[in-house]
Amino acid sequence: MKKNFQIIDRRDFLKKTGLGAAALALSPALLAQAQANGKLRIAQIGVGAMGVEDLKAISSHPLVEVVALCDVDSTNLGKAAADFPQAKTYADYRVLLKELKNDIDAVVVSTPDHTHAPASLMAMKMDKAVYCQKPLTHHVSEAREMKKVAEKKGLVTQMGIQVHSFYDYKLATLLIQSGIIGKVHTVRAWSPKNWGTDDPMPQGSDPIPADLDWNLWLGTAPERPYKEGEYHPGNWRKVLDFGCGTLGDMGVHIFDTPYNALALDVPRTIKNECRQPTGFGFPENNIVTYEFPATPYTAETLTWIWSDGPGAPADHPDLALPNGDKLPDQGAMFLGEKGRLLLPHFMQLPRLIVDGQYKEMDIAQFNLGEPVKDYAAESKKHYHEFVDACLGKTECSAPFSYSANLTETILLGVIAGRFPNETLHWDSKKARFEEEKANEFLDGKYRKF
């Protein structure tokens, strides 16, 4: 690990890693090159955990060629390289992008959250199409930056929120927009997952494993000693400097369909009922209440209540099911003028509830075909959509123009966890809270590494 480091401004980092590339997007030249080659040349950044699944799914497209693999863990990298022996391997994504800038068309980013934006933006500023895992970014300012760069350059982009392309979620969107429960006034969403911790920051240090480049794993995050089992490979989601807690992990998935179906923008107010901040980990239980301005599918105000952690959600009349049925482990409930719509997470059809009873729905009218119960097949749709969009055959359904706003909404709730039980007011045009003390958490200082 490098012991001497500097804190640099995020804009300086982006400027230095952007290489001053002209706006080519997935330009006619790049598109022609990819089509002439017959393949879309992919670089995969991050090949552990979810990165493995991303790599399998995107490489299953017959027109994908995996050109490069990158991971800070050489064991993960070696396993991936065994399946793609023709791919060049790297520990540092910056080296990969600079060396192969003329040999790749698109980049898949599957790192921990804090590296999503630094890696994606460097690739985008080199005019590469980007598929980035959820949540899109670690900071609100990064989400806005990624949206801005994608729009300016006309890049093909997709956030890795595979359920966005699933049958069940498409059906729920069409049902809500058809007016099946009328104008929606409330959404309740929940997950009992617990990507939080009340523990203090671990003290001391452990030897860095020989197969891990700890400095590169930290990337732009503040330097700290390596502690076995605390950060890499699995628990980083719990830590403020690296992840986004349960809300940032599962909230993005479960928010997506209601957010899309109701055509929401960003909220006006946010309140998080949780424990006092510790400065290290996310709260273990959060109840986050958002208020959104009206859309054509909502009442004058849309109230959104998210709950997570052990025991979530608490019993509430809004969530009572017919016949004493048990709620799905994770999901969302839409409440409207004419009834309720339950959307389990995932691979279960939505259920219509009217006057306390389930009601049959005519879903054939939406021409979605038969429900699909194969997760792998459903998941591939989202990745293949990205590849086909890169090749000019379709458009992405979760581009950064959409997913940056969804991520911003999620991250505002994460920030509200720093100010328990206090209502924060968000000014979307200014990209600032009315409560000045909260604005320092919209951005982050990047460590030079």
Side-chain angles (χ1 to χ4, degrees):
M1 185 196 303
K2 294 180 181 179
K3 295 299 181 183
N4 298 316
F5 64 94
Q6 297 172 287
I7 298 295
I8 61 173
D9 185 83
R10 176 180 59 85
R11 293 178 182 83
D12 288 341
F13 178 88
L14 301 180
K15 190 180 298 181
K16 289 175 181 176
T17 56
L19 306 182
L24 299 176
L26 193 54
S27 65
L30 257 179
L31 179 58
Q33 187 178 50
Q35 291 173 334
N37 182 46
K39 298 279 188 176
L40 186 75
R41 301 168 301 172
I42 294 283
Q44 172 87 30
I45 301 174
V47 294
M50 192 62 202
V52 174
E53 300 306 315
D54 288 344
L55 182 58
K56 288 178 182 177
I58 204 157
S59 65
S60 69
H61 193 292
L63 297 181
V64 162
E65 178 184 358
V66 179
V67 171
L69 303 170
C70 180
D71 203 284
V72 300
D73 186 315
S74 62
T75 297
N76 290 339
L77 191 58
K79 290 177 181 177
D83 292 329
F84 298 92
Q86 79 286 356
K88 294 183 178 180
T89 57
Y90 295 84
D92 190 331
Y93 68 83
R94 300 167 300 179
V95 177
L96 182 161
L97 291 172
K98 289 176 181 177
E99 287 190 0
L100 300 183
K101 62 181 179 180
N102 296 321
D103 300 317
I104 57 175
D105 308 308
V107 174
V108 180
V109 178
S110 309
T111 65
D113 298 351
H114 68 290
T115 301
H116 284 183
S120 295
L121 280 162
M122 182 175 179
M124 292 165 72
K125 292 193 173 218
M126 297 171 70
D127 309 301
K128 307 304 176 187
V130 172
Y131 183 107
C132 181
Q133 258 305 330
K134 58 79 193 168
L136 191 60
T137 64
H138 193 230
H139 296 290
V140 170
S141 61
E142 295 170 329
R144 293 214 166 197
E145 183 81 10
M146 286 175 68
K147 178 181 177 180
K148 178 181 176 182
V149 172
E151 289 177 350
K152 180 179 179 182
K153 289 177 168 285
L155 295 169
V156 174
T157 58
Q158 181 94 306
M159 183 169 75
I161 183 166
Q162 296 76 253
V163 297
H164 192 87
S165 297
F166 280 24
Y167 177 99
D168 305 336
Y169 297 86
K170 289 180 178 178
L171 174 60
T173 296
L174 293 171
L175 287 168
I176 289 297
Q177 294 187 350
S178 75
I180 195 168
I181 62 171
K183 300 279 188 181
V184 176
H185 57 81
T186 304
V187 173
R188 290 183 176 271
W190 64 90
S191 171
K193 284 194 175 183
N194 183 22
W195 285 117
T197 178
D198 293 333
D199 293 338
M201 181 184 294
Q203 299 301 304
S205 63
D206 292 321
I208 299 171
D211 59 358
L212 176 64
D213 189 317
W214 179 237
N215 178 62
L216 292 179
W217 190 94
L218 286 172
T220 57
E223 188 168 15
R224 71 180 65 207
Y226 172 80
K227 285 291 292 181
E228 185 175 356
E230 292 292 342
Y231 310 116
H232 174 76
N235 288 321
W236 53 267
R237 293 190 189 279
K238 298 181 178 183
V239 181
L240 297 173
D241 285 341
F242 309 130
C244 298
T246 310
L247 179 56
D249 177 36
M250 293 311 303
V252 178
H253 283 308
I254 298 171
F255 270 54
D256 175 48
T257 299
Y259 189 87
N260 185 42
L262 298 172
L264 299 177
D265 194 359
V266 293
R268 292 184 295 207
T269 66
I270 314 98
K271 179 181 178 181
N272 191 339
E273 299 173 57
C274 61
R275 59 120 164 101
Q276 290 296 316
T278 65
F280 171 67
F282 292 99
E284 293 189 325
N285 295 89
N286 300 266
I287 300 175
V288 185
T289 302
Y290 297 89
E291 286 197 356
F292 292 87
T295 78
Y297 307 108
T298 73
E300 187 173 338
T301 297
L302 186 282
T303 301
W304 189 312
I305 301 109
W306 163 264
S307 57
D308 66 40
D315 290 340
H316 193 280
D318 289 350
L319 300 176
L321 299 184
N323 312 319
D325 288 354
K326 185 179 178 181
L327 277 175
D329 192 43
Q330 302 180 96
M333 181 79 81
F334 300 80
L335 293 95
E337 302 164 310
K338 303 177 184 178
R340 295 179 288 157
L341 189 75
L342 172 66
L343 178 61
H345 180 78
F346 63 86
M347 299 302 286
Q348 298 181 57
L349 291 175
R351 304 288 305 269
L352 176 63
I353 304 168
V354 178
D355 296 328
Q357 300 297 321
Y358 295 121
K359 187 175 180 180
E360 293 298 317
M361 299 179 290
D362 176 17
I363 61 177
Q365 62 178 303
F366 299 116
N367 299 314
L368 285 175
E370 291 298 314
V372 180
K373 294 302 177 186
D374 181 344
Y375 169 75
E378 286 279 83
S379 184
K380 285 179 183 178
K381 292 178 185 177
H382 200 66
Y383 298 90
H384 289 195
E385 181 181 76
F386 171 72
V387 176
D388 290 337
C390 288
L391 296 174
K393 299 178 180 180
T394 188
E395 293 183 357
C396 288
S397 59
F400 295 173
S401 57
Y402 165 79
S403 53
N405 291 354
L406 172 60
T407 298
E408 179 175 316
T409 295
I410 295 292
L411 295 180
L412 293 175
V414 173
I415 291 173
R418 309 246 190 186
F419 307 95
N421 307 311
E422 182 176 344
T423 299
L424 301 180
H425 300 79
W426 180 241
D427 186 328
S428 180
K429 289 184 178 180
K430 295 180 180 178
R432 295 185 68 80
F433 289 105
E434 291 181 14
E435 294 75 19
E436 188 61 35
K437 62 186 178 182
N439 289 321
E440 67 174 289
F441 300 109
L442 297 172
D443 206 338
K445 294 293 185 182
Y446 282 179
R447 182 181 72 105
K448 185 176 181 180
F449 66 104

